[in-house]
Structure formats: structure tokens, C-alpha cells
Amino acid sequence: MSEYQEYEEEYDRNLARVRSFLSSNVRSLTTLRECERLLAQAKRCATAMDHIAEEGGDAFQISECKFRVQRDVEPLMNEVDRALKQKENGDIFDDTQRDMLFSGYRAPTLGGGVDDNGDDMEMLIRSSEDMLRESQALCISSEEVGSDTLFAMSRQREQLYNASDYLAGAKAHMQQAKVLLGSMSAKTLRNKRFLQGIIVILILANIVVFIAIVKKKLK
């Protein structure tokens, strides 16, 4: 998975949690503050994706990132700000406006409790459980990557052992060639000296013959 896809998954995950909080029947300052934090994280992810897309030169990703915050994050941020103001002013949330914002999206039922804080806590607990499941999936993925890495390293170790054996064999052949070349050099030297001896003998023989011929003529 590329770095861009990781940021995109985190971005979508944060927005999904915000939509789940805002579409519920219960809105407290706790959940709204949590929504603010999640939207800030989503905005940082969008900025990171924009930088990655520009570095990679992907025209489609660049175009998508330019409108991502304006299309997804800003409407939710406006809704959170409006809900916070309504909470502070004691106003009642307008269900019609909520339906228009989420286009029919509905969060899961949280047990039908009447205690706002209890519902908020249950929602946060479920959100934490989702994050734990995601962490477990990430751990499993990391374990698989680690296993693949160990397998690749094991294969590389076998290749290194094979290369070491090959080098040892090549070294042994070089030693044999060195001994053979030494033997050939010694044999060549002996033949050279033998030929030199024969040449000297022939020269001496010629000198003796020449001297004999000269003496014979003088007599």
C-alpha cells in the first residue's frame, strides 16, 4: 500500500466517524469536540495527500486533492461549528438540515438510552473498538510483511552460501592452474638449458674440427 493510499484511508475513516457522530440523535460537547479533532486530522491527511500527489505528478490525484477539503471537510466543519453554537445557546438541532447534510446517512442505534453522557460514552467505546480492530488488522499485516521479509532474507542467505561455495571452487581451480603453470615454467626452463648446452657442445666441436683442419694443412 502506497503512502497516498494510507493517508486516504485515514482521511475516509475520520470523516466516517464524524458523520456517525453528527448523524446520531445525541450531540454533546464531548462528541462535538471529538468531531473537531477528527476533522483537523482529516484536513492534515488531505494536505499530506496534496503534497504527495504534487511530488508524484499525478494529475488526477492533484485535481482530486484541490477540491477534497472544500467538498468533504468544510461542510462538516461548518456543521460542527453551528452545532457547538446551538449547544452553547441551548438551541434545538434541526433534523431537516441534518438530513440535507448527510443525504440520508444514519448512524447505528446505540441502545436507546436516555442519558446523553452514557450514549456518548457508548459511541466513543464503539469507536475505540473499531480503532482496536483496525490496529489488529495492521498488526496482522505487519506480521505478514515481516514473514515475507524473513523468507526473502532466508533465500538471500542461501544465495550467499551458494556464491561462497562457487568462489571457493573458483579459488581451488585457480590454485590448480597456478601449480600447472609453475610445472610448465620449470619444464620450459629445463628445455631451454638443454638446448643451450647442445649449442655450446656444437660450437666447441666446430672449433676442434677447425683447429684439426688448420693443423693438417700446415703439415
Side-chain angles (χ1 to χ4, degrees), residues 191-205:
N191 292 336
K192 182 179 178 181
R193 290 178 178 176
F194 177 75
L195 291 173
Q196 288 175 348
I198 293 176
I199 292 171
V200 170
I201 292 172
L202 290 173
I203 292 173
L204 293 174

Side-chain angles (χ1 to χ4, degrees), residues 77-219:
M77 292 182 69
N78 294 334
E79 177 63 21
V80 170
D81 291 339
R82 192 180 67 83
L84 283 171
K85 291 179 180 178
Q86 288 181 343
K87 204 71 178 177
E88 292 173 354
N89 297 330
D91 297 334
I92 300 175
F93 181 70
D94 190 351
D95 292 335
T96 302
Q97 293 179 354
R98 182 179 63 194
D99 293 338
M100 292 176 63
L101 177 66
F102 297 105
S103 301
Y105 178 84
R106 291 293 181 272
T109 304
L110 297 178
V114 296
D115 187 357
D116 290 357
N117 291 330
D119 290 341
D120 293 340
M121 287 301 296
E122 186 176 354
M123 183 178 297
L124 290 173
I125 290 172
R126 290 197 176 187
S127 178
S128 300
E129 291 176 351
D130 293 338
M131 293 180 67
L132 286 174
R133 282 192 292 269
E134 292 169 1
S135 299
Q136 290 176 350
L138 182 61
C139 289
I140 294 173
S141 177
S142 300
E143 184 178 356
E144 292 176 353
V145 171
S147 299
D148 294 339
T149 303
L150 289 175
F151 178 73
M153 291 178 67
S154 177
R155 292 187 59 185
Q156 290 178 357
R157 183 177 62 183
E158 292 178 358
Q159 292 175 355
L160 289 173
Y161 283 151
N162 294 333
S164 178
D165 294 339
Y166 176 78
L167 290 175
K171 186 176 180 180
H173 288 305
M174 290 178 64
Q175 291 292 338
Q176 293 177 357
K178 184 177 179 180
V179 172
L180 180 61
L181 288 173
S183 176
M184 292 175 64
S185 177
K187 186 176 181 180
T188 302
L189 181 60
R190 288 195 300 269
N191 292 336
K192 182 179 178 181
R193 290 178 178 176
F194 177 75
L195 291 173
Q196 288 175 348
I198 293 176
I199 292 171
V200 170
I201 292 172
L202 290 173
I203 292 173
L204 293 174
N206 288 331
I207 293 172
V208 171
V209 171
F210 179 76
I211 293 171
I213 294 172
V214 171
K215 286 181 178 182
K216 186 176 180 181
K217 286 184 177 181
L218 290 176
K219 290 179 179 181

Side-chain angles (χ1 to χ4, degrees), residues 41-67:
Q41 289 182 353
K43 198 169 183 179
R44 286 194 293 270
C45 291
T47 302
M49 285 188 288
D50 191 12
H51 291 322
I52 295 173
E54 290 180 354
E55 291 177 357
D58 192 318
F60 174 76
Q61 290 180 352
I62 293 173
S63 176
E64 178 71 12
C65 290
K66 295 298 181 185
F67 299 100

